[in-house]
Structure formats: C-alpha cells, structure tokens
Amino acid sequence: MRREEGQVSHPSDRFEELFRKYRPIVEILHKKYYLRDYDLDDWLQEGRIVFNKCLKTYDQDKGTTLGILFKRSFENRICSLLRAQHAQKRKAQVDACSLEEKLSQEGNRFLTDHNRCAETAETYLFVNESLVEYPKSLSSLERMVIMNYLKGLELDQIAAQEKLSYEKIKSALSRGRTKLIALIKDV
C-alpha cells in the first residue's frame, strides 16, 4: 500500500527504514562472532534493541556518527552475550539436558556406565593440556594463518592481507593442521 504525499508514516516504519541502513553492521558481526543458539533473526532482534537505545541516546554534538555509536554498542552487547555464555557458573547449563532426552538418546545404559564420564573428562583434560602446547609448535607464519583462518578469513583473503602467495598460505595451513592432528593423536 502506497503512502499519499503528506501522510505521516508510522514510527515503527521509520525505525525499520533507518535500521535497514545499519543492518549490514549486524550481518558483519554475525559472521565475525558465534553465539550459541542464536540464528540471524536473533541477531537482528538484538540489533534492533541496541539500535533503539542508540537512537534514544545519540547526541550529534559529541562528534561521533550514529553508525559508529551503533557498531560499538552492538559489538559491546555481543561481547556481553559471549561472556554470559562462557561464564564459569553457567558452564553446567551448556551441556545440560533432561533425563527424558538422555533416555531417548542412549537408553538405560547411560545409568550404568559409570566409567564413561570419567574417561571423557580425562581425555578432555589431556587434549586441553596438549592444546596449550599447540601454538608453541607452530612457526610464526603457520600461527598467523591458523588464527586468521579461525577468525573466518578465506585463504585468498589471508594471502592478499599478508602479501604472500596463495600456495604459501595453503601450505602453512596444511602444516598447522598436520601438527594439530599429531598433537591430538598422541593423547
């Protein structure tokens, strides 16, 4: 339905129209960070909440743009959500599931398999201790490639960023993976 000239638009329509201009910020940060159980709609909802707060507090005289204020505020919100997900007191909730779910997945055997949890915890500790040594085993090039790759950069992007050949970057990633596999196999 078209608006007639001179007709005042609804505030929520104006908000959505303005938010659409800043939506790419949400999408970029969605690719940069991972929030467990959050899909794109959840990210957009968080973005709208933060954007609304930014609109209410934005002061043009403070020498910043609305876009910069929104980006910083939204990134801070995402970091807060990440901290909440990784907080020590919430660790138990991450892997928690109901008894009914456990019974449907594993049957009654999980009630009698007492050693399985101890073995899993022990393996987890050994792998965790081994991973502390992993960065030390990498060359500076391998470390840089692995870190950028884990941040979500593609190999061709890393090559362009570091002004190195694609093959050299690909080879460094391969060596880094091989060292990681060897480290974990030793556990």
Side-chain angles (χ1 to χ4, degrees):
M1 183 164 50
R2 282 183 46 194
R3 288 207 167 82
E4 297 299 321
E5 196 170 297
Q7 184 181 7
V8 178
S9 64
H10 194 271
S12 65
D13 293 339
R14 290 180 36 217
F15 174 83
E16 279 301 319
E17 184 178 324
L18 192 55
F19 179 75
R20 232 177 278 125
K21 292 179 184 176
Y22 295 97
R23 179 182 168 145
I25 292 172
V26 174
E27 293 170 347
I28 288 168
L29 293 176
H30 177 249
K31 291 177 185 171
K32 184 176 179 180
Y33 297 104
Y34 173 75
L35 286 171
R36 193 172 68 82
D37 299 330
Y38 274 63
D39 61 12
L40 182 58
D41 288 336
D42 296 319
W43 278 78
L44 291 172
Q45 187 63 30
E46 289 292 334
R48 285 182 180 94
I49 292 167
V50 171
F51 189 68
N52 189 37
K53 289 178 183 175
C54 287
L55 285 175
K56 289 178 181 178
T57 60
Y58 177 64
D59 184 0
Q60 199 172 14
D61 298 332
K62 292 198 175 180
T64 188
T65 65
L66 180 60
I68 291 172
L69 174 64
F70 173 63
K71 182 176 188 269
R72 286 182 184 157
S73 299
F74 187 64
E75 196 158 17
N76 288 342
R77 172 67 180 150
I78 297 305
C79 289
S80 294
L81 291 170
L82 285 168
R83 277 192 296 277
Q85 283 188 355
H86 292 97
Q88 206 53 292
K89 63 183 175 183
R90 293 178 187 86
K91 284 284 187 192
Q93 295 172 355
V94 171
D95 297 322
C97 67
S98 69
L99 179 61
E100 291 81 14
E101 182 181 350
K102 202 77 161 148
L103 283 170
S104 70
Q105 288 176 353
E106 300 181 36
N108 289 335
R109 74 165 195 219
F110 89 92
L111 295 170
T112 58
D113 191 3
H114 302 292
N115 294 329
R116 186 176 55 116
C117 288
E119 290 171 5
T120 303
E122 187 176 310
T123 303
Y124 175 78
L125 287 173
F126 286 137
V127 169
N128 227 7
E129 288 173 1
S130 296
L131 287 178
V132 171
E133 299 300 314
Y134 177 61
K136 297 174 188 172
S137 70
L138 299 173
S139 70
S140 59
L141 176 62
E142 292 165 346
R143 190 176 316 111
M144 180 274 304
V145 171
I146 295 285
M147 294 306 295
N148 283 316
Y149 189 75
L150 290 174
K151 288 178 184 175
L153 292 177
E154 298 294 328
L155 295 181
D156 56 341
Q157 292 173 310
I158 299 169
Q161 176 183 312
E162 298 299 320
K163 295 179 178 65
L164 296 170
S165 73
Y166 177 83
E167 290 303 318
K168 190 167 189 164
I169 298 297
K170 184 178 173 184
S171 177
L173 178 64
S174 177
R175 290 190 310 271
R177 282 180 176 165
T178 302
K179 288 177 181 179
L180 178 61
I181 291 168
L183 197 67
I184 292 174
K185 278 186 179 177
D186 289 344
V187 174

